[in-house]
Amino acid sequence: MSHSDTIPLHASSQSDIDEIENLINASVQSGPATVLPARPPSPPRIPVSSSPFIPSNLPPLPSTHQKPSFVPSVPSAPPPPPVNSHSSIGASGFGSPPNTLTEPVWDTVKRDLSRIVSNLKLVVFPNPYREDPGKALRDWDLWGPFFFIVFLGLTLSWSASVKKSEVFAVAFALLAAGAVILTLNVLLLGGHIIFFQSLSLLGYCLFPLDIGAVICMLKDNVIIKVAVVCVTLAWSSWAAYPFMSSAVNPRRKALALYPVFLMYVSVGFLIIAID
C-alpha cells in the first residue's frame, strides 16, 4: 500500500490518540502498573437497632428506683417439719384422713377410743352455748354409735321374754330409719348433713336411753320405768340439740330436732313395753 493511499485522520481523532499516548507514557514513568480489583469492595454495613424507635443522643433520665449496689443475702426458710402419721384427726370430718395403714394397731385403738370419749362427754354434759357446738358433728365416727345401739339391742332382748331376736332387730331398724329421716329433714330445711353424721348423732345421743334401759331391766315397776324413760328421753333430746346447732339455720332448729325427738320417743315406748 503506498503512502498516497493513506487517509488522513480527523483533527479530533489525532488529539485523542495523542492524549492516550501521553497517559501510557505517564503511567510507565510513574512505576509498575497496579491491577485494579475486578469488583469494588462492598460498603460497610450500617447496624440496625431492634428497637422500633430511633435512639436518642440525649443522656438517660435519672432513675427513681435505683437498685442498691449490695443486696444482703436472705437466709433460706427452714424445711417444714415431717408430717407425723400418728397425729390426731383434725376438727373437720371431711378432710383428708392421716395415713393409718402403717401405724400400730394400738395407736389406732387409742385414737378411736379418745374420739369416742370426747364425743361422749358432749352427750353426758350437753352445753348448747359452748364455743364450737358443731365440732362433734364434724368429727363424726361410727364406733361409738355401733357400741351404743348394740348395747341397747342386747339390753332390750334380755328384758324380753319372747322374740328376743326380733326385739334386737327392731332397735337397729329404728336407728337406721331415724338417720334417714333426719338427713332428709335437714337437707329439706336447707342445712348441710350426711347420712353418717346423722347416724353418729343419733347413736351417741342414745347413751342416756341405754342407761334408762338398764335401770328398767332391773326395776320391774311401770311407774319407775315411765319416770326413768321421761328423764332419759329429755336428756337425749337435749344432748342432740347442740349437735344440730351448726347443721341448720338457727330459726329452724326446732323443726330439725323434731324427727330426733320422735325417734327417741319410739325407743322409750319400746323400753317401757318390753316385759
Side-chain angles (χ1 to χ4, degrees), residues 101-184:
L101 297 178
T102 58
E103 70 175 3
V105 177
W106 177 240
D107 292 343
T108 305
V109 173
K110 287 193 300 183
R111 186 181 65 252
D112 293 338
L113 288 177
S114 64
R115 187 190 302 178
I116 291 173
V117 172
S118 176
N119 290 337
L120 189 59
K121 287 180 181 179
L122 302 177
V123 175
V124 177
F125 307 103
N127 182 14
Y129 305 105
R130 56 176 175 261
E131 182 179 356
D132 189 7
K135 179 181 180 298
L137 189 61
R138 295 193 305 269
D139 194 16
W140 58 271
D141 71 282
L142 298 180
W143 282 113
F146 175 76
F147 293 147
F148 296 142
I149 189 60
V150 169
F151 183 81
L152 179 63
L154 291 176
T155 304
L156 294 179
S157 62
W158 288 336
S159 301
S161 57
V162 293
K163 299 182 179 180
K164 297 179 179 293
S165 60
E166 294 181 4
V167 173
F168 186 84
V170 166
F172 271 90
L174 281 176
L175 181 63
V180 172
I181 295 174
L182 175 61
T183 303
L184 294 177

Side-chain angles (χ1 to χ4, degrees), residues 169-257:
V170 166
F172 271 90
L174 281 176
L175 181 63
V180 172
I181 295 174
L182 175 61
T183 303
L184 294 177
N185 184 52
V186 171
L187 294 178
L188 291 176
L189 292 175
H192 302 280
I193 198 172
I194 61 175
F195 172 76
F196 295 110
Q197 286 179 324
S198 300
L199 201 61
S200 177
L201 185 156
L202 296 177
Y204 273 108
C205 294
L206 272 178
F207 176 74
L209 288 172
D210 288 349
I211 297 177
V214 173
I215 296 175
C216 292
M217 182 182 63
L218 299 177
K219 300 292 183 178
D220 191 9
N221 190 325
V222 178
I223 298 177
I224 295 178
K225 284 185 177 182
V226 171
V228 170
V229 168
C230 289
V231 172
T232 55
L233 176 61
W235 186 2
S236 295
S237 301
W238 182 247
Y241 181 79
F243 283 79
M244 304 296 300
S245 60
S246 62
V248 295
N249 191 296
R251 298 179 179 179
R252 300 177 178 180
K253 288 181 181 179
L255 294 176
L257 194 62

